[in-house]
PDB file of all heavy atoms in Angstrom:
ATOM      1  N   LEU A 676     -78.261 155.909 -19.328  1.00 90.00           N
ATOM      2  CA  LEU A 676     -77.689 154.776 -20.063  1.00 90.00           C
ATOM      3  C   LEU A 676     -78.703 153.648 -20.241  1.00 90.00           C
ATOM      4  O   LEU A 676     -78.381 152.600 -20.771  1.00 90.00           O
ATOM      5  CB  LEU A 676     -76.443 154.257 -19.338  1.00 90.00           C
ATOM      6  CG  LEU A 676     -75.224 155.180 -19.475  1.00 90.00           C
ATOM      7  CD1 LEU A 676     -74.166 154.845 -18.454  1.00 90.00           C
ATOM      8  CD2 LEU A 676     -74.655 155.100 -20.885  1.00 90.00           C
ATOM      9  N   ARG A 677     -79.924 153.904 -19.753  1.00 90.00           N
ATOM     10  CA  ARG A 677     -80.989 152.934 -20.022  1.00 90.00           C
ATOM     11  C   ARG A 677     -81.847 153.464 -21.150  1.00 90.00           C
ATOM     12  O   ARG A 677     -81.752 154.623 -21.526  1.00 90.00           O
ATOM     13  CB  ARG A 677     -81.850 152.741 -18.766  1.00 90.00           C
ATOM     14  CG  ARG A 677     -81.231 151.789 -17.755  1.00 90.00           C
ATOM     15  CD  ARG A 677     -82.285 151.305 -16.763  1.00 90.00           C
ATOM     16  NE  ARG A 677     -82.847 152.398 -15.978  1.00 90.00           N
ATOM     17  CZ  ARG A 677     -82.378 152.778 -14.784  1.00 90.00           C
ATOM     18  NH1 ARG A 677     -81.342 152.161 -14.254  1.00 90.00           N
ATOM     19  NH2 ARG A 677     -82.940 153.767 -14.122  1.00 90.00           N
ATOM     20  N   CYS A 678     -82.679 152.562 -21.698  1.00 90.00           N
ATOM     21  CA  CYS A 678     -83.528 152.997 -22.807  1.00 90.00           C
ATOM     22  C   CYS A 678     -84.980 152.960 -22.394  1.00 90.00           C
ATOM     23  O   CYS A 678     -85.419 152.014 -21.742  1.00 90.00           O
ATOM     24  CB  CYS A 678     -83.306 152.099 -24.016  1.00 90.00           C
ATOM     25  SG  CYS A 678     -84.426 152.472 -25.374  1.00 90.00           S
ATOM     26  N   GLY A 679     -85.721 153.979 -22.800  1.00 83.00           N
ATOM     27  CA  GLY A 679     -87.137 154.054 -22.491  1.00 83.00           C
ATOM     28  C   GLY A 679     -87.920 152.874 -23.049  1.00 83.00           C
ATOM     29  O   GLY A 679     -88.921 152.460 -22.482  1.00 83.00           O
ATOM     30  N   SER A 680     -87.446 152.309 -24.168  1.00 82.00           N
ATOM     31  CA  SER A 680     -88.195 151.176 -24.717  1.00 82.00           C
ATOM     32  C   SER A 680     -87.762 149.857 -24.073  1.00 82.00           C
ATOM     33  O   SER A 680     -88.199 148.791 -24.491  1.00 82.00           O
ATOM     34  CB  SER A 680     -88.109 151.130 -26.241  1.00 82.00           C
ATOM     35  OG  SER A 680     -86.823 151.415 -26.678  1.00 82.00           O
ATOM     36  N   GLY A 681     -86.879 149.937 -23.077  1.00 75.00           N
ATOM     37  CA  GLY A 681     -86.674 148.816 -22.168  1.00 75.00           C
ATOM     38  C   GLY A 681     -85.954 147.605 -22.713  1.00 75.00           C
ATOM     39  O   GLY A 681     -85.046 147.725 -23.535  1.00 75.00           O
ATOM     40  N   LEU A 683     -86.546 145.264 -24.735  1.00 85.00           N
ATOM     41  CA  LEU A 683     -86.519 144.951 -26.161  1.00 85.00           C
ATOM     42  C   LEU A 683     -85.264 145.569 -26.784  1.00 85.00           C
ATOM     43  O   LEU A 683     -84.515 144.926 -27.505  1.00 85.00           O
ATOM     44  CB  LEU A 683     -87.774 145.503 -26.842  1.00 85.00           C
ATOM     45  CG  LEU A 683     -87.938 145.057 -28.296  1.00 85.00           C
ATOM     46  CD1 LEU A 683     -88.163 143.549 -28.363  1.00 85.00           C
ATOM     47  CD2 LEU A 683     -89.093 145.794 -28.957  1.00 85.00           C
ATOM     48  N   CYS A 684     -85.014 146.845 -26.480  1.00 88.00           N
ATOM     49  CA  CYS A 684     -83.840 147.528 -27.016  1.00 88.00           C
ATOM     50  C   CYS A 684     -82.563 146.865 -26.482  1.00 88.00           C
ATOM     51  O   CYS A 684     -81.615 146.635 -27.219  1.00 88.00           O
ATOM     52  CB  CYS A 684     -83.877 149.004 -26.654  1.00 88.00           C
ATOM     53  SG  CYS A 684     -82.439 149.930 -27.188  1.00 88.00           S
ATOM     54  N   ASP A 685     -82.553 146.512 -25.172  1.00 87.00           N
ATOM     55  CA  ASP A 685     -81.373 145.870 -24.584  1.00 87.00           C
ATOM     56  C   ASP A 685     -81.012 144.589 -25.334  1.00 87.00           C
ATOM     57  O   ASP A 685     -79.840 144.302 -25.570  1.00 87.00           O
ATOM     58  CB  ASP A 685     -81.622 145.532 -23.105  1.00 87.00           C
ATOM     59  CG  ASP A 685     -81.667 146.791 -22.257  1.00 87.00           C
ATOM     60  OD1 ASP A 685     -81.116 147.813 -22.705  1.00 87.00           O
ATOM     61  OD2 ASP A 685     -82.254 146.750 -21.165  1.00 87.00           O
ATOM     62  N   ARG A 687     -81.737 143.886 -28.391  1.00 84.00           N
ATOM     63  CA  ARG A 687     -81.477 144.116 -29.818  1.00 84.00           C
ATOM     64  C   ARG A 687     -80.303 145.064 -30.016  1.00 84.00           C
ATOM     65  O   ARG A 687     -80.371 146.019 -30.782  1.00 84.00           O
ATOM     66  CB  ARG A 687     -82.712 144.692 -30.513  1.00 84.00           C
ATOM     67  CG  ARG A 687     -83.996 143.902 -30.348  1.00 84.00           C
ATOM     68  CD  ARG A 687     -84.089 142.701 -31.225  1.00 84.00           C
ATOM     69  NE  ARG A 687     -84.086 143.017 -32.663  1.00 84.00           N
ATOM     70  CZ  ARG A 687     -83.955 142.103 -33.614  1.00 84.00           C
ATOM     71  NH1 ARG A 687     -83.786 140.842 -33.309  1.00 84.00           N
ATOM     72  NH2 ARG A 687     -83.977 142.455 -34.888  1.00 84.00           N
ATOM     73  N   GLY A 688     -79.215 144.832 -29.288  1.00 84.00           N
ATOM     74  CA  GLY A 688     -78.000 145.597 -29.530  1.00 84.00           C
ATOM     75  C   GLY A 688     -77.910 146.906 -28.776  1.00 84.00           C
ATOM     76  O   GLY A 688     -76.960 147.658 -28.940  1.00 84.00           O
ATOM     77  N   ALA A 689     -78.897 147.176 -27.911  1.00 88.00           N
ATOM     78  CA  ALA A 689     -78.874 148.366 -27.060  1.00 88.00           C
ATOM     79  C   ALA A 689     -78.621 149.653 -27.841  1.00 88.00           C
ATOM     80  O   ALA A 689     -77.773 150.462 -27.483  1.00 88.00           O
ATOM     81  CB  ALA A 689     -77.848 148.201 -25.935  1.00 88.00           C
ATOM     82  N   ALA A 690     -79.342 149.820 -28.926  1.00 89.00           N
ATOM     83  CA  ALA A 690     -79.245 151.053 -29.698  1.00 89.00           C
ATOM     84  C   ALA A 690     -80.536 151.232 -30.473  1.00 89.00           C
ATOM     85  O   ALA A 690     -80.885 150.387 -31.292  1.00 89.00           O
ATOM     86  CB  ALA A 690     -78.069 150.996 -30.664  1.00 89.00           C
ATOM     87  N   CYS A 691     -81.265 152.283 -30.170  1.00 89.00           N
ATOM     88  CA  CYS A 691     -82.478 152.578 -30.936  1.00 89.00           C
ATOM     89  C   CYS A 691     -82.690 154.082 -30.886  1.00 89.00           C
ATOM     90  O   CYS A 691     -82.027 154.775 -30.120  1.00 89.00           O
ATOM     91  CB  CYS A 691     -83.684 151.803 -30.385  1.00 89.00           C
ATOM     92  SG  CYS A 691     -84.367 152.491 -28.874  1.00 89.00           S
ATOM     93  N   PRO A 692     -83.600 154.600 -31.703  1.00 87.00           N
ATOM     94  CA  PRO A 692     -83.794 156.056 -31.716  1.00 87.00           C
ATOM     95  C   PRO A 692     -84.259 156.611 -30.370  1.00 87.00           C
ATOM     96  O   PRO A 692     -84.086 157.797 -30.092  1.00 87.00           O
ATOM     97  CB  PRO A 692     -84.869 156.257 -32.790  1.00 87.00           C
ATOM     98  CG  PRO A 692     -84.765 155.057 -33.664  1.00 87.00           C
ATOM     99  CD  PRO A 692     -84.384 153.932 -32.755  1.00 87.00           C
ATOM    100  N   ALA A 693     -84.812 155.748 -29.503  1.00 87.00           N
ATOM    101  CA  ALA A 693     -85.264 156.243 -28.200  1.00 87.00           C
ATOM    102  C   ALA A 693     -84.090 156.440 -27.242  1.00 87.00           C
ATOM    103  O   ALA A 693     -84.233 157.058 -26.202  1.00 87.00           O
ATOM    104  CB  ALA A 693     -86.273 155.273 -27.594  1.00 87.00           C
ATOM    105  N   CYS A 694     -82.924 155.892 -27.575  1.00 90.00           N
ATOM    106  CA  CYS A 694     -81.791 156.086 -26.666  1.00 90.00           C
ATOM    107  C   CYS A 694     -80.586 156.694 -27.391  1.00 90.00           C
ATOM    108  O   CYS A 694     -80.486 157.900 -27.518  1.00 90.00           O
ATOM    109  CB  CYS A 694     -81.444 154.789 -25.937  1.00 90.00           C
ATOM    110  SG  CYS A 694     -81.135 153.356 -26.983  1.00 90.00           S
ATOM    111  N   ILE A 695     -79.697 155.860 -27.933  1.00 90.00           N
ATOM    112  CA  ILE A 695     -78.390 156.369 -28.324  1.00 90.00           C
ATOM    113  C   ILE A 695     -78.293 156.730 -29.817  1.00 90.00           C
ATOM    114  O   ILE A 695     -77.307 157.321 -30.249  1.00 90.00           O
ATOM    115  CB  ILE A 695     -77.301 155.342 -27.914  1.00 90.00           C
ATOM    116  CG1 ILE A 695     -75.942 156.036 -27.754  1.00 90.00           C
ATOM    117  CG2 ILE A 695     -77.239 154.180 -28.885  1.00 90.00           C
ATOM    118  CD1 ILE A 695     -74.926 155.199 -27.019  1.00 90.00           C
ATOM    119  N   LEU A 696     -79.298 156.398 -30.604  1.00 91.00           N
ATOM    120  CA  LEU A 696     -79.201 156.733 -32.035  1.00 91.00           C
ATOM    121  C   LEU A 696     -79.590 158.188 -32.269  1.00 91.00           C
ATOM    122  O   LEU A 696     -80.478 158.715 -31.605  1.00 91.00           O
ATOM    123  CB  LEU A 696     -80.096 155.812 -32.874  1.00 91.00           C
ATOM    124  CG  LEU A 696     -79.771 154.321 -32.820  1.00 91.00           C
ATOM    125  CD1 LEU A 696     -80.555 153.570 -33.901  1.00 91.00           C
ATOM    126  CD2 LEU A 696     -78.287 154.041 -32.976  1.00 91.00           C
ATOM    127  N   ARG A 711     -75.302 151.235 -26.319  1.00 94.00           N
ATOM    128  CA  ARG A 711     -75.208 151.582 -24.903  1.00 94.00           C
ATOM    129  C   ARG A 711     -74.418 150.532 -24.146  1.00 94.00           C
ATOM    130  O   ARG A 711     -73.787 150.824 -23.134  1.00 94.00           O
ATOM    131  CB  ARG A 711     -76.614 151.713 -24.297  1.00 94.00           C
ATOM    132  CG  ARG A 711     -77.353 152.977 -24.714  1.00 94.00           C
ATOM    133  CD  ARG A 711     -78.751 153.018 -24.083  1.00 94.00           C
ATOM    134  NE  ARG A 711     -79.614 151.973 -24.620  1.00 94.00           N
ATOM    135  CZ  ARG A 711     -80.044 150.926 -23.932  1.00 94.00           C
ATOM    136  NH1 ARG A 711     -79.737 150.795 -22.660  1.00 94.00           N
ATOM    137  NH2 ARG A 711     -80.808 150.013 -24.498  1.00 94.00           N
TER     138      ARG A 711
HETATM  139 ZN1   ZN B 803     -83.021 152.085 -27.070  1.00 68.75          ZN
END
Side-chain angles (χ1 to χ4, degrees):
L676 287 164
R677 279 197 297 267
C678 175
S680 42
L683 188 65
C684 177
D685 289 338
R687 306 282 297 169
C691 77
C694 54
I695 204 165
L696 299 191
R711 286 179 293 111

